[in-house]
Amino acid sequence: MADEKKKDDKKQVTVDPATARMLDIAAECGISTMFSRAAEMKPCPIGGGGSCCKNCAMGPCRLTGKGAEEKMGVCGATMETIVARNFCRAVAVGASAHSDHGRDLARTLIAVAKGEAKGYEVKDEEKLRRVAGYFGIETEGKSANDIALAVGQASLHEYGKQDDEPLAYTKRAPEPRQKIWRNLGLFPRGVDREVVEMLHRTHMGMDQDANNLFAHAMRVALSDGWGGSMMATDISDILFGTPKAVVGGANLGVLEAKQVNVIVHGHEPTLSEMIAAAANDPEMIEYAKSKGAEGINIAGICCTANEVLMRQGISSAGNFLQQELAILTGAVEAMVVDIQCIAQGLTHVAQKYHTDIVTTSPKVKMPGAVHIQFDEHRAYDIAKEILKRACDNFPKRGKVQIPKEKSPLVAGFSHEYIRYMLGGSFRASFQPLNDNIINGRIQGVAGIVGCNNPRTIHDNVMVSLMKQFVANDVLVAVTGCTGIAGGKHGWLTPEAALEHAGDGLKSVCEAVGIPPVLHLGSCVDNSRILTVLTEVVHTGGLGEDISDLPVVGIAPEWMSEKALSIATYCVATGAYVIMGVTSPVEASAKIQKIMTVGWEELVGGKLEFVIEPEDIFNKSMDHIMKKREALGITEKKERVLFDMEARRKLEV
Ligand code: SF4
Ligand code: MSK
């Protein structure tokens, strides 16, 4: 159980009242959660700071104590090498996760094109044709399915290619950025090749030069951001529709007491889209009624939630740390999981309730879960089988305790929709955004992305940063679990701009009718941020490259290795990235210097791990102002600062 101090003061654990309520229930029932286990288990400071190497059986070697930076592992590996290798391996794992997700979507696109995936179709043909253009595929006179087949095959080819040709999508970056990659040899080649090479380079007795390792980490990460993730986003849009503004809700209050609740959790839209469709099938609704329910309610957790929220307006039951808590409501008949961020603790909670945890990917099986394998060739039938199982569980419900909290939100801000929203159908353009950054109504853009982590107060830093940026005329873009946090705390509504934005940002949001915090999608959809930044550069007036823009990327509550890959590809693309909570390179001051001073000189972006929330905000604003100054668009503005009292008043 959580330690006494934390148990008594929920504000030290979460700023979300629904989460606090469910943690009380967990404590009453004696059920452990990620929160309580984190409180019980101190993180290992040696591994946490990156100074433990277990890459061979002469170790594990832990460089600790006085003079640790000068010590060596048994093989002679220095602190610098060990810390860099650990970081690079994490980047490879993160990149492989996003990219493998993209690969499965490419395979689905091929199955759809061949007419083998009943129930799926090309939903956005315009985007399909545009994407075909990136691969140099001729579209004139071809059917959508023929183009889809060629795009699917070209995407798969990006994974396995063995020549030294850069990934096709890297051509979408601004030319000066491509020049940097060309000159430094950073162009990513085949996605799988880059990941495999990183595993090879970090084998015992391989690459021992931190700068050389990091150069490859950038290549690996770029193969994610400008490769696997970007392909995942594009193919999802082609198959399920490119997001446009959509209304939804967020938090555990979206669960329905009188309906069969099915939560889709993980990252893929493929099965969840089918589950959402099948839930409206009259046959399924009748089946639910035959079990005593009024209908079937689908809700999401984590990034599967973001996928179905962005396209269908299906509400999100919560972010990463709320997955176990959703089951504790007693109102979830089935939680259907696909890939990534699925806590093994789920089955431990579920065994105390009537909830089925249903695994669906051959890559993810869990002891205690039911496995119903997804197969795109019979996806609708599988969706119905899962829903029937959930309906069968409805009569087995015990006590139901659904928190009341749910907030309305507007999501669906794909880069295509942002262009449309700024300029309308005929003059879709990023020009109004650039103009308003140049005239100072918008000071800059902050991308706040990523996970929750029970090592910090749940949702707290994300939400407090949103407040401070918005009040200081900084437009905020969110993805992943930060997007859900923004939704839960009321920041994804146009009203939030009217009530809390600085005068400049407020006037823009009011004119365009947008929230001050724009939800761009799931964690693979950070690729949308790369596209937006590229479009801003191409629109003109704000420099020649992404590194010139007054923008900052922040993962304030990160926990996943994917976050390190995202951070690294954003840096290699020219952005300043700040990560909160903890530093995986804490053990080496030399490595920290490379990631800041060294990387900024090399690629114009830098990575810093900053633990104090106030420092994250101040460093971000300083960076935005420095970039504005360099662009010659500085207009001195008093910074709006918040003490705790002021922050509390701002709560929406
Ligand atoms: Fe120790 Fe070197 Fe083996 Fe790492 S690779 S465990 S530092 S001997
Ligand atoms: S789900 S990677 S906890 S954002 Fe994408 Fe959330 Fe982080 Fe998983």
Side-chain angles (χ1 to χ4, degrees):
M1 293 300 96
D3 65 39
E4 288 313 310
K5 191 169 154 227
K6 286 203 167 179
K7 226 170 19 174
D8 290 347
D9 185 1
K10 288 290 171 315
K11 286 220 170 93
Q12 290 194 37
V13 178
T14 180
V15 292
D16 172 11
T19 296
R21 167 88 188 102
M22 296 317 297
L23 288 175
D24 284 338
I25 292 172
E28 282 161 21
C29 302
I31 294 174
S32 81
T33 64
M34 283 189 267
F35 289 91
S36 63
R37 290 187 294 270
E40 270 179 3
M41 189 186 301
K42 295 264 169 292
C44 167
I46 306 166
S51 63
C52 172
C53 179
K54 53 184 180 67
N55 291 10
C56 88
M58 292 190 284
C61 300
R62 300 171 307 161
L63 307 193
T64 57
K66 205 160 165 248
E69 277 240 50
E70 307 312 319
K71 291 182 180 170
M72 289 185 282
V74 173
C75 67
T78 62
M79 178 72 95
E80 240 176 297
T81 303
I82 289 174
V83 173
R85 272 199 311 223
N86 286 333
F87 180 86
C88 290
R89 277 200 169 193
V91 169
V93 175
S96 70
H98 280 150
S99 297
D100 213 29
H101 172 168
R103 183 202 318 268
D104 286 342
L105 281 159
R107 288 162 59 91
T108 303
L109 184 63
I110 290 171
V112 173
K114 288 181 173 170
E116 293 170 356
K118 198 173 134 222
Y120 296 106
E121 60 182 354
V122 168
K123 284 241 173 71
D124 189 340
E125 192 174 329
E126 193 189 323
K127 181 145 190 175
L128 171 68
R129 289 177 184 273
R130 203 165 356 112
V131 169
Y134 302 139
F135 288 115
I137 295 166
E138 186 52 62
T139 57
E140 196 58 38
K142 283 193 188 165
S143 72
N145 277 350
D146 284 349
I147 302 168
L149 181 61
V151 166
Q153 288 169 338
S155 305
L156 277 190
H157 180 65
E158 295 291 88
Y159 288 88
K161 90 183 165 186
Q162 300 299 323
D163 55 33
D164 290 340
E165 277 302 296
L167 293 180
Y169 276 8
T170 53
K171 291 197 291 285
R172 293 166 66 173
E175 181 48 44
R177 184 57 27 190
Q178 292 184 47
K179 196 169 161 200
I180 291 172
W181 294 340
R182 195 173 303 119
N183 291 344
L184 296 172
L186 297 181
F187 265 122
R189 305 154 298 178
V191 175
D192 294 350
R193 175 181 176 180
E194 303 305 8
V195 172
V196 168
E197 187 175 319
M198 181 52 89
L199 298 183
H200 182 194
R201 281 181 187 234
T202 54
H203 185 275
M204 188 269 152
M206 278 296 295
D207 203 349
Q208 293 156 28
D209 179 315
N211 284 305
N212 205 41
L213 278 161
F214 284 147
H216 191 64
M218 288 196 188
R219 225 175 272 130
V220 173
L222 288 169
S223 80
D224 168 1
W226 293 88
S229 276
M230 206 172 266
M231 290 190 280
T233 297
D234 280 351
I235 298 173
S236 297
D237 287 354
I238 289 167
L239 285 175
F240 308 114
T242 301
K244 33 186 179 298
V246 66
V247 173
N251 218 339
L252 291 164
V254 307
L255 298 174
E256 294 284 351
K258 295 185 176 165
Q259 297 195 32
V260 172
N261 288 298
V262 176
I263 290 187
V264 288
H265 170 27
H267 283 77
E268 291 179 337
T270 341
L271 178 59
S272 48
E273 284 275 339
M274 279 297 168
I275 289 177
N280 291 322
D281 189 319
E283 180 199 335
M284 294 315 307
I285 294 170
E286 269 318 300
Y287 193 76
K289 287 185 176 164
S290 76
K291 300 290 171 183
E294 288 182 355
I296 302 173
N297 178 44
I298 308 294
I301 291 267
C302 278
C303 282
T304 303
N306 287 321
E307 297 284 354
V308 289
L309 168 67
M310 291 284 284
R311 298 191 178 87
Q312 313 277 355
I314 288 173
S315 292
S316 167
N319 48 12
F320 175 70
L321 283 178
Q322 291 177 283
Q323 54 186 291
E324 294 162 316
L325 309 184
I327 297 171
L328 280 154
T329 63
V332 176
E333 276 59 51
M335 184 177 280
V336 186
V337 302
D338 48 66
I339 53 164
Q340 301 165 19
C341 302
I342 299 147
Q344 191 162 355
L346 282 176
T347 48
H348 296 284
V349 182
Q351 71 190 5
K352 306 239 172 27
Y353 291 83
H354 70 305
T355 311
D356 273 343
I357 305 295
V358 183
T359 52
T360 57
S361 164
K363 296 168 197 167
V364 182
K365 291 194 178 180
M366 299 167 75
V370 183
H371 189 72
I372 302 178
Q373 194 150 311
F374 172 66
D375 174 357
E376 65 265 30
H377 302 95
R378 41 181 294 274
Y380 196 68
D381 292 341
I382 293 169
K384 281 178 30 180
E385 184 187 338
I386 291 171
L387 289 183
K388 275 198 173 150
R389 215 185 152 94
C391 292
D392 290 341
N393 278 344
F394 187 80
K396 301 180 201 158
R397 266 190 191 181
K399 190 174 176 188
V400 168
Q401 303 180 83
I402 303 173
K404 63 180 185 330
E405 285 80 10
K406 69 174 163 190
S407 302
L409 59 84
V410 183
F413 292 94
S414 58
H415 48 271
E416 289 89 343
Y417 188 74
I418 297 173
R419 283 179 103 245
Y420 161 77
M421 181 191 74
L422 290 169
S425 290
F426 298 108
R427 296 189 310 140
S429 159
F430 274 80
Q431 194 66 54
L433 177 61
N434 283 36
D435 289 347
N436 281 298
I437 293 176
I438 293 164
N439 68 26
R441 284 199 190 95
I442 296 176
Q443 292 289 306
V445 180
I448 314 180
V449 308
C451 328
N452 304 125
N453 186 326
R455 300 290 175 199
T456 185
I457 302 171
H458 172 233
D459 288 351
N460 179 47
V461 190
M462 297 168 175
V463 173
S464 91
L465 286 172
M466 287 177 209
K467 287 173 188 168
Q468 293 176 84
F469 283 127
V470 165
N472 282 281
D473 294 319
V474 173
L475 181 66
V476 176
V478 286
T479 60
C481 288
T482 308
I484 299 170
K488 286 190 296 173
H489 296 271
W491 289 94
L492 305 187
T493 61
E495 293 74 29
L498 303 182
E499 288 168 38
H500 303 301
D503 289 342
L505 179 61
K506 187 195 296 178
S507 66
V508 176
C509 291
E510 208 171 3
V512 186
I514 51 167
V517 178
L518 303 179
H519 192 351
L520 271 67
S522 65
C523 31
V524 294
D525 292 335
N526 284 309
S527 66
R528 294 193 203 277
I529 297 180
L530 301 180
T531 309
V532 168
L533 298 179
T534 302
E535 295 226 22
V536 167
V537 169
H538 286 154
T539 300
L542 288 170
E544 301 298 317
D545 193 3
I546 288 169
S547 52
D548 297 328
L549 302 176
V551 300
V552 60
I554 308 164
E557 301 180 26
W558 73 283
M559 62 84 199
S560 156
E561 288 164 308
K562 289 182 289 172
L564 295 177
S565 177
I566 295 165
T568 307
Y569 74 63
C570 287
V571 170
T573 304
Y576 175 29
V577 177
I578 302 177
M579 305 190 77
V581 188
T582 185
S583 168
V585 296
E586 171 73 29
S588 173
K590 287 179 196 160
I591 291 296
Q592 291 161 39
K593 193 164 173 203
I594 292 175
M595 289 181 157
T596 49
V597 182
W599 284 4
E600 193 164 32
E601 277 170 13
L602 206 63
V603 292
K606 60 180 175 178
L607 176 57
E608 250 188 303
F609 293 89
V610 180
I611 313 303
E612 287 304 319
E614 275 314 302
D615 293 344
I616 295 178
F617 174 70
N618 286 327
K619 279 171 177 275
S620 301
M621 287 305 290
D622 289 346
H623 181 76
I624 285 172
M625 291 308 163
K626 192 178 90 185
K627 292 294 173 184
R628 293 187 65 85
E629 211 168 299
L631 289 164
I633 53 172
T634 314
E635 173 213 337
K636 284 266 175 251
K637 285 194 86 170
E638 281 301 306
R639 197 169 292 179
V640 182
L641 296 171
F642 295 96
D643 56 17
M644 275 316 286
E645 189 52 37
R647 276 199 207 106
R648 270 194 287 274
K649 281 192 196 137
L650 258 180
E651 196 72 53
V652 278

